[in-house]
Each structure stands twice: as structure tokens, then as C-alpha cells.
């Protein structure tokens, strides 16, 4: 049980559970009926993705200072009630079931999902490696 943080589109791990896509847009060129079978996601949670403006900032990160700015702004977005309630729910669910949460980025260290990992841990979520 717990939440595994993953790169969407990668093969699923045994026992991974429901895969949640925390991305602004669905995968391009993939029919909706194939999102799950092609290991993208089972359920889409765009309210846990950076806003369009912040996503552009995150994609332009070149150094630690700009990454810190992105992290600060994304954390502020996740404090909004809509996102905050979902994070609370996922943290609670992580003690009862297995889930996977992800994004398309290759490098988790420079991806919003690393911030989601921290936010979930702060809420007491059970996180898998």
C-alpha cells in the first residue's frame, strides 16, 4: 500500500494500483481509450498539475534559483482548496490502497511530481520508493 511516484508512459510495477495523471494535458496522439493500456493513467487529475503559466516557467528552468521559484509558486497553487482537498484525500487513501501518481517528465528532480511527493509526505501519506 502507498503512493508510488512515476513517470507516465513507463511500464507499471506489480501492485502499483490505480495510476493518476497529474498533467495539464492528455498524451498527444493517444486515443482516450488507450490511456490506461499504454501505461499513461487510469484517472486524470489536472488540478494537481501546474497552471499553464507555471508549467511554462517550469519547462524553462535552467538553474537552482529558477527551480526554487517554480517550487514556491507550485506549492502556493497546491494550497488552493481544490488541490489541497485532493492531496488530503490521496494522503488518507495511501494508508488503505496502492496508488501511483505521475507526470510525463523524465527527471523527477525537476518535475512538479517531486513537489507533490513532498506535499503528500507532509500530509502523512505513505509513499513507496
Amino acid at each position: 500500500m502507498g503512493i508510488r511516484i512515476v513517470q507516465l508512459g513507463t511500464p507499471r510495477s506489480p501492485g502499483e494500483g490505480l495510476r493518476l495523471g497529474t498533467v495539464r494535458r492528455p498524451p498527444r496522439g493517444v486515443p482516450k481509450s488507450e490511456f490506461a493500456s499504454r501505461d499513461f493513467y487510469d484517472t486524470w487529475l489536472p488540478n494537481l498539475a501546474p497552471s499553464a503559466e507555471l508549467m511554462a516557467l517550469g519547462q524553462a528552468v535552467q538553474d537552482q534559483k529558477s527551480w526554487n521559484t517554480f517550487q514556491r509558486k507550485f506549492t502556493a497553487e497546491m494550497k488552493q482548496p481544490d488541490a489541497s482537498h485532493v492531496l488530503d484525500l490521496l494522503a488518507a487513501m495511501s494508508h488503505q490502497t496502492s496508488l501511483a501518481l505521475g507526470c510525463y517528465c523524465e527527471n523527477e528532480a525537476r518535475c512538479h511530481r517531486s513537489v507533490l511527493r513532498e506535499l503528500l509526505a507532509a500530509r502523512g501519506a505513505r509513499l513507496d520508493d
Side-chain angles (χ1 to χ4, degrees):
M1 287 184 292
I3 298 175
R4 182 171 300 205
I5 307 298
V6 300
Q7 179 185 4
L8 300 179
T10 59
R12 293 173 189 251
S13 299
E16 181 177 287
L18 191 69
R19 190 175 270 202
L20 309 171
T22 63
V23 292
R24 182 72 29 212
R25 305 217 187 292
R28 291 183 183 188
V30 178
K32 186 176 183 178
S33 62
E34 295 179 19
F35 289 172
S37 65
R38 291 174 72 179
D39 294 328
F40 285 101
Y41 53 77
D42 301 303
T43 301
W44 187 28
L45 287 176
N47 56 332
L48 294 186
S51 63
E53 303 80 31
L54 190 53
M55 190 167 58
L57 177 70
Q59 291 172 335
V61 164
Q62 295 290 323
D63 56 23
Q64 191 60 41
K65 183 179 178 185
S66 57
W67 174 247
N68 292 344
T69 299
F70 171 83
Q71 286 180 300
R72 187 180 73 254
K73 290 182 177 187
F74 182 60
T75 298
E77 285 186 354
M78 293 298 100
K79 288 180 181 176
Q80 296 302 308
D82 218 23
S84 183
H85 293 312
V86 173
L87 290 170
D88 289 341
L89 173 65
L90 293 176
M93 289 177 64
S94 73
H95 295 276
Q96 302 294 320
T97 190
S98 296
L99 301 166
L101 189 122
C103 178
Y104 306 122
C105 300
E106 287 183 40
N107 180 4
E108 181 183 331
R110 294 292 183 157
C111 175
H112 79 281
R113 70 183 190 263
S114 67
V115 180
L116 290 174
R117 178 189 295 275
E118 292 173 11
L119 295 172
L120 288 163
R123 286 171 163 77
R126 186 176 194 180
L127 296 167
D128 294 340
D129 290 328

